[in-house]
Amino acid sequence: MLSLSFSLLLLLNLAAVILAADRFSRGDFPPGFVFGSGTSAYQVEGAADQEGRKPSIWDTFTHEGKVHGDNADITCDQYYKYKEDIQLMVDTGLEAYRFSISWSRLIPNGRGPVNPKGLQYYDNLINELISNGIQPHVTLHHNDLPQALEDEYGGWIDRKIVKDFTAYADVCFGKFGDRVSHWTTVNEANVFVLAGYDGGYLPPQHCSSPFGFNCTRGNSSTEPYLAAHHILLAHASAAVLYKEKYQDKQHGFIGINLFAFWIVPLTNTTEDAIASQRAMDFMIGWYVNPLMYGDYPEVMKRNAGTRLPTFTNLESNQVKGSIDFLGVNHYVTVYVKDDSSKLEMELRNFDADMAVDITLAVTQKDMSSSEVRECTLNCRDASLNQFSITPWGQETQRNSSLEDWPRVKYLHGYIGALLDALRNGSNTRGYFQWSFLDVFEMDGYESGFGLYYVDLDDPDLKRQPKLSARWYKHFLKGEGVSSHGFIELETNLSAHAHHFQ
């Protein structure tokens, strides 16, 4: 059987002459396709130590001063402002809202009693969304493990997490599943473990020399593989629970989310072509191969050896086929070259096992429509025609301007390319722009991805729409848009620019 990555590379190299849509509208998309936007609990809620919530690993990380001295104790304060924000969603025309549940708000110690205040908040949020005609799409773990479980047994590096995550998921399915039909178990599972357990530059900041970044604990050679293995087992356990106990009566779907670098060979040499296949296997096949076929890619097993955990037959059968959809976050295309010399290192981590060098990164603002189309079509292939929900966004400097033309052009280019992909066989079912508000990001409050600016100097944290919010509203309300030099967009939107001052 061809490896997943080799199949993807073959598809990438297939010749295709497909013209990107110049003019399109919301009505050009197929029935059932949803457009939305998203945030995550730690990044947007605030109320970090209020009404029963206890710390997550992100609280600990930021309170140690690791993100420019910033934290998300208040951030956008959506915990108290959710009704106001939902009215902005209605005005924008959002059809769905992707958010996460704070595990340590709902079950403060990670296991045990449910926090009534946390339960009430998410009940209220979901009910308010539905009463305004907006679908709730829920993520269970968006990088914010309860600190209590990290302290007790190391969180995701210990198999105990499978039982605790499944119990948490059971509470969510039982309490909210009568109104929530789309569940994502873990957000960006691949990047979460690499950043948190290999490089150590994000929580829980596990790593080891010479690979990591100023860590006091961890093992970069083994822990990323352990954490990923337990994420797959926890996801599968929650999915089995959902399918056996809830799906028949709730009629929902369950999946997982990955960060999808699109990987291109730096040169046309055989070595770089093979390296690109290998990088695809390591970055995406690491999760997708077990979810589709029940085991890790052969090249990972060969290069990582005994450091890569193995599935029992029962575990393999549980993991295989445990997704109804594959969520894909995409922000960047990378060019890679072969560096097989890394395999000669006596001590290796994930990067050395992958044995490639990333020589150039192309940001989303520089990507062509064809690259977006290829990524979407091939993620379709990776999920074996099961649908993918795709949250993509563009970064700008937070206080640069409310007239965010780069984001407008980005939205137009990506959505147009997505329509092109759908017309050519993609089974994508939704597009979620990241993010609805300017939230707390990996660099604190230096950058923003939001449709709406949040004034942190205003005691009321006033929300101000950017031009991208107006463009998205223009599109979602069914008005046609044209890519021809963006002249039409500028004409239509400049008249409204004074509203954003």
Side-chain angles (χ1 to χ4, degrees):
M1 180 181 294
L2 292 176
S3 70
L4 167 70
S5 62
F6 186 65
S7 299
L8 293 177
L9 189 63
L10 286 175
L11 285 170
L12 175 65
N13 291 325
L14 287 176
V17 180
I18 306 170
L19 297 176
D22 178 67
R23 174 183 291 276
F24 56 86
S25 68
R26 174 66 185 90
D28 291 321
F29 286 78
F33 193 96
V34 297
F35 281 94
S37 189
T39 62
S40 81
Y42 182 71
Q43 294 174 271
V44 76
E45 284 181 1
D49 60 353
Q50 298 177 32
E51 298 197 329
R53 183 185 183 276
K54 289 191 176 180
S56 74
I57 56 176
W58 259 107
D59 294 277
T60 301
F61 186 74
T62 58
H63 279 260
E64 291 174 349
K66 301 295 176 60
V67 188
H68 302 293
D70 292 330
N71 61 61
D73 287 0
I74 298 175
T75 184
C76 303
D77 204 26
Q78 192 172 84
Y79 186 77
Y80 293 110
K81 290 180 167 291
Y82 70 92
K83 289 187 178 181
E84 174 186 335
D85 288 341
I86 290 172
Q87 287 310 302
L88 291 179
M89 296 176 201
V90 172
D91 183 65
T92 308
L94 292 195
E95 299 157 7
Y97 179 51
R98 182 176 182 256
F99 65 94
S100 71
I101 290 174
S102 168
W103 187 346
S104 59
R105 189 183 298 284
L106 189 64
I107 306 176
N109 293 315
R111 73 162 75 89
V114 172
N115 172 24
K117 293 288 189 180
L119 179 64
Q120 187 64 56
Y121 169 69
Y122 292 112
D123 260 334
N124 291 343
L125 175 64
I126 291 166
N127 290 340
E128 189 75 11
L129 287 167
I130 291 172
S131 68
N132 283 279
I134 299 171
Q135 295 178 15
H137 288 237
V138 174
T139 299
L140 295 176
H141 181 275
H142 196 116
N143 306 357
D144 55 349
L145 179 77
Q147 185 64 41
L149 301 184
E150 175 69 19
D151 292 341
E152 182 181 344
Y153 53 74
W156 288 106
I157 62 172
D158 194 291
R159 188 177 286 262
K160 294 186 184 75
I161 193 70
V162 176
K163 180 179 179 181
D164 287 339
F165 181 80
T166 306
Y168 160 57
D170 195 10
V171 171
C172 293
F173 300 151
K175 299 295 185 181
F176 313 124
D178 58 332
R179 290 152 292 158
V180 174
S181 59
H182 293 84
W183 297 97
T184 298
T185 52
V186 180
N187 182 74
E188 291 188 356
N190 48 352
V191 170
F192 169 64
V193 300
L194 291 176
Y197 297 90
D198 184 359
Y201 50 87
L202 289 179
Q205 202 178 20
H206 288 211
C207 64
S208 60
S209 179
F211 308 111
F213 179 74
N214 195 29
C215 297
T216 59
R217 58 181 175 174
N219 186 327
S220 296
S221 293
T222 59
E223 286 191 1
Y225 295 122
L226 277 174
H229 193 71
H230 296 145
I231 284 174
L232 283 164
L233 294 178
H235 159 81
S237 178
V240 168
L241 170 72
Y242 184 72
K243 291 172 185 294
E244 291 182 350
K245 186 176 178 181
Y246 296 103
Q247 196 168 45
D248 282 348
K249 57 185 177 182
Q250 295 180 354
H251 309 293
F253 307 92
I254 190 165
I256 197 168
N257 176 279
L258 301 177
F259 187 105
F261 293 106
W262 190 239
I263 297 168
V264 180
L266 180 65
T267 72
N268 62 1
T269 62
T270 301
E271 290 81 6
D272 284 357
I274 294 172
S276 295
Q277 297 172 30
R278 187 167 62 247
M280 192 75 78
D281 265 329
F282 268 79
M283 290 304 305
I284 300 175
W286 188 11
Y287 286 83
V288 173
N289 267 47
L291 292 167
M292 294 296 104
Y293 311 121
D295 201 4
Y296 295 112
E298 289 300 320
V299 68
M300 291 194 74
K301 293 193 287 184
R302 182 167 63 250
N303 289 8
T306 57
R307 289 179 289 119
L308 184 68
T310 58
F311 296 105
T312 66
N313 288 336
L314 176 61
E315 290 168 346
S316 176
N317 289 331
Q318 283 188 328
V319 172
K320 180 180 179 180
S322 61
I323 57 172
D324 296 319
F325 65 88
L326 174 65
V328 178
N329 286 13
H330 180 268
Y331 296 87
V332 66
T333 288
V334 296
Y335 288 80
V336 301
K337 63 178 293 187
D338 175 67
D339 189 359
S340 295
S341 65
K342 290 181 177 180
L343 295 173
E344 300 172 7
M345 296 169 58
E346 183 175 349
L347 182 63
R348 299 207 302 268
N349 68 338
F350 181 92
D351 176 70
D353 292 336
M354 188 164 54
V356 303
D357 281 336
I358 297 176
T359 59
L360 179 66
V362 181
T363 62
Q364 63 271 34
K365 66 181 179 182
D366 299 319
M367 282 188 64
S368 69
S369 295
S370 63
E371 287 174 314
V372 176
R373 186 187 70 247
E374 292 290 354
C375 181
T376 306
L377 284 169
N378 291 313
C379 287
R380 174 280 313 264
D381 182 72
S383 61
L384 297 185
N385 290 315
Q386 299 176 68
F387 62 81
S388 57
I389 305 297
T390 56
W392 294 347
Q394 195 202 5
E395 177 183 11
T396 57
Q397 186 177 350
R398 183 180 177 90
N399 296 318
S400 56
S401 175
L402 293 177
E403 297 186 17
D404 55 341
W405 283 108
R407 184 171 292 106
V408 171
K409 294 178 180 180
Y410 157 83
L411 283 168
H412 189 279
Y414 264 57
I415 292 175
L418 179 56
L419 178 59
D420 191 24
L422 288 164
R423 287 170 170 168
N424 287 276
S426 173
N427 197 32
T428 307
R429 298 292 181 87
Y431 177 92
F432 287 74
Q433 179 272 345
W434 182 269
S435 54
F436 186 65
L437 306 174
D438 280 343
V439 298
F440 180 89
E441 293 286 355
M442 289 172 56
D443 60 1
Y445 299 104
E446 299 294 313
S447 62
F449 288 79
L451 298 172
Y452 288 82
Y453 170 73
V454 179
D455 186 352
L456 299 178
D457 295 323
D458 184 329
D460 293 326
L461 297 170
K462 182 180 178 181
R463 280 80 159 127
Q464 296 175 265
K466 304 177 189 178
L467 286 176
S468 56
R470 177 63 184 173
W471 185 93
Y472 206 30
K473 176 179 179 177
H474 182 76
F475 167 72
L476 292 174
K477 298 292 186 180
E479 302 175 45
V481 292
S482 171
S483 64
H484 182 61
F486 295 91
I487 295 172
E488 182 180 345
L489 292 179
E490 187 161 6
T491 300
N492 290 339
L493 296 180
S494 292
H496 301 279
H498 68 278
H499 294 303
F500 306 134
Q501 302 304 319

